[in-house]
Amino acid sequence: MDAGTAAVLGALAGSTATIGAALATGWAQREGARITARSEHRMERRQPRHDIYKEFITEANRMRALTSVWGIDLHLTPEPTDQRVRHWGEVARSLESKASDTALAGPAPVSKAAIKISRMAAELNISLGTYRSVVDDGETVLQQEMRRQLLAQATNYSAALTEFILTAQSALDDDGSRK
């Protein structure tokens, strides 16, 4: 091979290596920028989500406080007055509204957990209304069964709320660096 051909081939190899390095560098910079943008986007969404989750948890805790006595003992159940039934209904409706906001804020695991809690609160409210309608009949088998159902529902609701809090905390801790 003569010196001219060797020079051309050397120049060709050098330029190919330079182009390859430039492409790899460009790709790495774009990938780094994409990761940074995603992380910044998640951080920008963190505070609004935090606020929405906090409102939802506050409302869900109101329902837990109202129902906690049902989760302790079948025989310590409070008198289901009309006022108490109305109050539960108000909290359940408010919780449903907060659940919608929370579900829209996402991500999917948090949305599913919020919808589950809202549904459970509505079921608790229905059960209390049903219990209220049979309480005036004196101690019956139906009343005992309703109290058992309220006990199970209140216990499950409390566990679901705890699960939601952990799921929301995990979502807030996700900075986008994990895939």
Side-chain angles (χ1 to χ4, degrees):
M1 172 176 347
D2 66 7
T5 306
V8 170
L9 289 176
L12 182 62
S15 65
T16 302
T18 302
I19 290 171
L23 290 174
T25 301
W27 176 83
Q29 286 176 342
R30 278 192 308 277
E31 191 64 22
R34 186 183 67 77
I35 290 169
T36 301
R38 181 176 176 164
S39 179
E40 288 175 8
H41 174 71
R42 285 185 184 239
M43 292 307 287
E44 287 173 4
R45 291 194 66 188
R46 186 186 190 285
Q47 189 60 44
R49 279 182 173 171
H50 175 272
D51 296 344
I52 290 169
Y53 296 170
K54 185 176 179 180
E55 289 177 19
F56 178 77
I57 290 168
T58 299
E59 203 62 25
N61 272 326
R62 283 182 61 205
M63 179 60 88
R64 181 165 33 194
L66 292 173
T67 62
S68 63
V69 69
W70 294 95
I72 297 170
D73 188 329
L74 289 175
H75 305 292
L76 297 176
T77 55
E79 181 66 29
T81 63
D82 289 339
Q83 179 182 357
R84 183 169 278 137
V85 171
R86 268 193 310 278
H87 187 61
W88 274 32
E90 291 167 5
V91 173
R93 283 186 295 282
S94 176
L95 184 59
E96 182 179 5
S97 172
K98 301 288 184 201
S100 297
D101 294 341
T102 304
L104 289 173
V110 173
S111 298
K112 288 178 186 177
I115 292 166
K116 177 181 178 181
I117 289 172
S118 176
R119 188 193 77 243
M120 293 174 87
E123 290 170 358
L124 271 163
N125 189 44
I126 290 168
S127 293
L128 181 68
T130 304
Y131 181 73
R132 172 69 179 113
S133 69
V134 299
V135 78
D136 293 332
D137 298 338
E139 185 66 24
T140 66
V141 173
L142 179 58
Q143 280 182 347
Q144 292 171 355
E145 182 54 37
M146 288 301 304
R147 280 200 305 266
R148 276 192 216 66
Q149 182 177 345
L150 281 163
L151 171 77
Q153 287 176 317
T155 302
N156 292 339
Y157 177 85
S158 183
L161 180 53
T162 300
E163 182 181 322
F164 172 83
I165 292 169
L166 295 174
T167 302
Q169 184 179 39
S170 177
L172 290 174
D173 288 343
D174 182 9
D175 64 359
S177 61
R178 292 177 270 157
K179 200 73 163 142

